[in-house]
Amino acid sequence: MNYVSRKETVVVLSASAVFLLFQWLVVGLIPAQVLMVALFNLFFFAHPVSRKMAMTLLPFILFEMSYDWMRLYPNYRVNPIDIQGIYDAEKALFGIATESGTLIPGEYFNLHHHAVADLLAGIFYLCWVPGPIALALWLFFKGERGYAVRFTWAFLFVNIIGFIGYYVHPAAPPWYAINFGFEPDFSTPGNVAGLARFDDLIGIPVFSSIYVNNSNIFAAVPSLHAAYMLVATIFAILSKQSRQIVCACGIITVGIWCTAVYSCHHYIIDVLLGIATAFVGVGIFELVLMRIPAFRTFISHYTEYVS
């Protein structure tokens, strides 16, 4: 298909307008969302190839929308927030003995950190979404668009499972327990935690500008940061990419796991549950959803559209 039909034009422009209006009136509009919608429209209408690329990456936009819409009904209204329980469990399972007592890993690294580790941590953590997008684009331009579509929609599905986990078990990150204790304060803004050292190191408030817009600080379990690049690594393997691509994905994945703990953004428990979420989500997607005729047909037609 080398042109944009009238129906497609109406659907895309209407959906874009409704999304921006809804965000503005109900959730609150931020510049990044306006840029996201503008880029999608630019790529959709600019050229047949860029249109197919935009549609391949659409699940990433749906992921951002669904995450931000959790503001409408926060998870802490559904179930009690776990602050002390997970902190105590982390200390019991993974505590580090010191002269001043047992510390959770995040506390230990707050006291023992290094500029090289801070730099690497920031670089790894910046890959949490750009990394999966890069793999999706690699698969797209390599011509493996069936895998690109399966990967992006599986990525969205893993997020949905993770979001359900947020509501089932609302939990505070370690930086909250360390800085504010064990009583919930719903007015607490997002916190850059140990990643502030990266911002200080390079002299640019990269992570500070990201975490100021955090939709919900009580959504640490499971750690979806730990899941994202793992999903990418799994699909790099499934699509039989080169050893270099698989190794790069794997290294970034492990780097993000380590950074999540090193920067005090997640407990090791969160990371392990994030890893489990990725495997469970991809397993259900590939072994259950893809065997449902209606869903398999949807993926097939979607792949045809972007091919």
Side-chain angles (χ1 to χ4, degrees), residues 68-82:
D68 199 54
W69 285 356
M70 286 193 291
R71 298 174 190 258
L72 294 175
Y73 200 80
N75 59 342
Y76 51 74
R77 293 185 179 179
V78 177
N79 283 307
I81 301 170
D82 182 1

Side-chain angles (χ1 to χ4, degrees), residues 2-65:
N2 296 320
Y3 65 92
V4 181
S5 68
R6 180 178 299 179
K7 180 180 179 181
E8 288 174 317
T9 301
V10 171
V11 169
V12 170
L13 293 180
S14 298
S16 299
V18 169
F19 167 69
L20 292 175
L21 182 63
F22 180 83
Q23 285 289 133
W24 177 50
L25 294 176
V26 181
V27 183
L29 193 61
I30 60 176
Q33 293 165 339
V34 177
L35 177 62
M36 178 183 70
V37 172
L39 286 175
F40 178 82
N41 279 267
L42 174 64
F43 287 123
F44 189 88
F45 292 106
H47 189 273
V49 174
S50 64
R51 178 167 67 253
K52 294 173 181 179
M53 181 187 73
M55 289 302 296
T56 300
L57 299 179
L58 179 60
F60 290 107
I61 296 177
L62 298 178
F63 143 69
E64 196 284 334
M65 290 168 54

Side-chain angles (χ1 to χ4, degrees), residues 63-289:
F63 143 69
E64 196 284 334
M65 290 168 54
S66 57
Y67 176 77
D68 199 54
W69 285 356
M70 286 193 291
R71 298 174 190 258
L72 294 175
Y73 200 80
N75 59 342
Y76 51 74
R77 293 185 179 179
V78 177
N79 283 307
I81 301 170
D82 182 1
I83 301 176
Q84 184 168 2
I86 192 167
Y87 174 89
D88 291 341
E90 180 84 354
K91 182 175 288 188
L93 293 172
F94 306 107
I96 301 172
T98 69
E99 293 181 358
S100 57
T102 302
L103 304 177
I104 65 168
E107 291 173 320
Y108 181 84
F109 290 124
N110 274 346
L111 298 173
H112 303 85
H113 52 82
H114 192 278
V116 173
D118 294 336
L119 180 63
L120 290 175
I123 293 172
F124 280 129
Y125 229 50
L126 284 173
C127 295
W128 66 289
V129 169
I133 291 176
L135 178 66
L137 290 174
W138 171 264
L139 293 171
F140 177 85
F141 286 109
K142 197 180 177 185
E144 300 181 28
R145 298 186 181 177
Y147 277 113
V149 168
R150 280 165 55 188
F151 165 53
T152 56
W153 283 97
F155 179 90
L156 177 61
F157 182 68
V158 168
N159 273 280
I160 292 172
I161 294 177
F163 295 163
I164 292 172
Y166 291 167
Y167 283 88
V168 171
H169 190 85
W175 62 257
Y176 183 93
I178 293 169
N179 294 326
F180 302 101
F182 301 124
E183 292 299 322
D185 181 354
F186 304 123
S187 65
T188 306
N191 193 301
V192 72
L195 294 172
R197 298 191 293 269
F198 176 82
D199 287 0
D200 294 339
L201 198 61
I202 65 172
I204 302 173
V206 175
F207 288 104
S208 297
S209 63
I210 295 173
Y211 281 94
V212 71
N213 294 312
N214 192 1
S215 295
N216 184 0
I217 65 169
F218 300 116
V221 176
S223 168
L224 288 179
H225 281 89
Y228 294 149
M229 275 305 299
L230 178 56
V231 176
T233 302
I234 293 171
F235 273 91
I237 295 171
L238 291 177
S239 59
K240 298 180 180 179
Q241 298 306 303
S242 67
R243 181 177 300 177
Q244 291 85 349
I245 296 294
V246 173
C247 287
C249 289
I251 291 170
I252 295 172
T253 299
V254 176
I256 291 175
W257 293 350
C258 295
T259 301
V261 178
Y262 177 77
S263 65
C264 223
H265 274 276
H266 285 285
Y267 297 105
I268 293 177
I269 294 171
D270 305 346
V271 171
L272 293 175
L273 290 173
I275 293 170
T277 300
F279 280 117
V280 170
V282 172
I284 293 175
F285 186 91
E286 289 290 313
L287 301 177
V288 178
L289 294 183

